[in-house]
Every structure is written in structure tokens, then in C-alpha cells.
Amino acid sequence: MEEIDELIRHYHLEENNEYVIIPFMGNDGRKKRCFLLKRRFIRIAFPEGHFIDYPLTEAIEATVKYPDIRLSEAIYQLHKERAEQAALAGGEHDSGMDAAKAV
């Protein structure tokens, strides 16, 4: 949970005993907050009947960067961004793009 605490400090997020609270401005200009349960993983269930478990740290980062889109799409965008950065750096990477493609 140390990584989660670090993200909370880095992004100036709120928290309580059960949730990481991500404040953001909605597209309509109103203040909103997203509540993510403090668990090691967050499960996204898809209408087709399958599900994928993502680390909470990825869900937090994706929500901070892309607050107004579905979490599955935000995580996909985060993985895509990381893959592009790795490609620019010329390094090998394991960004989880296979899992993100299922989103």
C-alpha cells in the first residue's frame, strides 16, 4: 500500500479508511469526485462476461489523467501512453498492452 500512499501524495488526492478520493473538474465545469476502494486490485467486468483485474495504482493514475472517460478506456490510454514513451526511449517494455487490447 506504500505505492498508493505515494500516489496520493504525488497527485494531492484525498483518502479515508476505505477509499482513495480523486477530485476533478467535469466536462460541465462542476467539481466532482471519484471514489476507488482501497484494495490491491480493481476488477473491471465487461458486458461480454469476462473481467480483468488491474492494480489500484494503475486505476488511480488512469483516473487522474483521464477522469471523464470510462475506467477501462482510461487504463487503455495509460498503457498506450506508456508504450509510446517506451518506444521513444528505445527500451524493451512490458506495459500490459495485451490486457489493454481486451478493453
Side-chain angles (χ1 to χ4, degrees):
M1 294 302 246
E2 189 174 310
E3 292 174 327
I4 294 168
D5 292 335
E6 186 177 319
L7 286 174
I8 290 169
R9 284 190 303 273
H10 178 75
Y11 291 117
H12 307 289
L13 305 176
E14 302 170 20
E15 68 175 319
N16 63 26
N17 290 337
E18 293 185 50
Y19 297 98
V20 174
I21 305 165
I22 304 170
F24 66 97
M25 288 294 239
N27 285 337
D28 58 2
R30 294 178 19 188
K31 291 182 182 180
K32 296 183 178 185
R33 299 189 312 169
C34 175
F35 292 76
L36 298 175
L37 272 174
K38 283 186 180 177
R39 302 290 183 264
R40 291 182 59 92
F41 295 92
I42 187 165
R43 176 169 288 178
I44 299 178
F46 296 92
E48 301 85 29
H50 71 282
F51 60 87
I52 301 174
D53 292 335
Y54 292 100
L56 182 59
T57 54
E58 283 187 11
I60 291 169
E61 287 185 83
T63 303
V64 167
K65 290 186 177 206
Y66 309 102
D68 279 333
I69 61 176
R70 292 185 310 183
L71 183 55
S72 59
E73 293 173 13
I75 290 173
Y76 173 77
Q77 289 297 326
L78 183 67
H79 285 198
K80 184 177 170 184
E81 179 181 299
R82 287 179 179 170
E84 289 170 357
Q85 289 173 353
L88 288 174
E92 297 273 329
H93 67 281
D94 181 9
S95 66
M97 284 299 292
D98 292 335
K101 287 181 183 174
V103 175

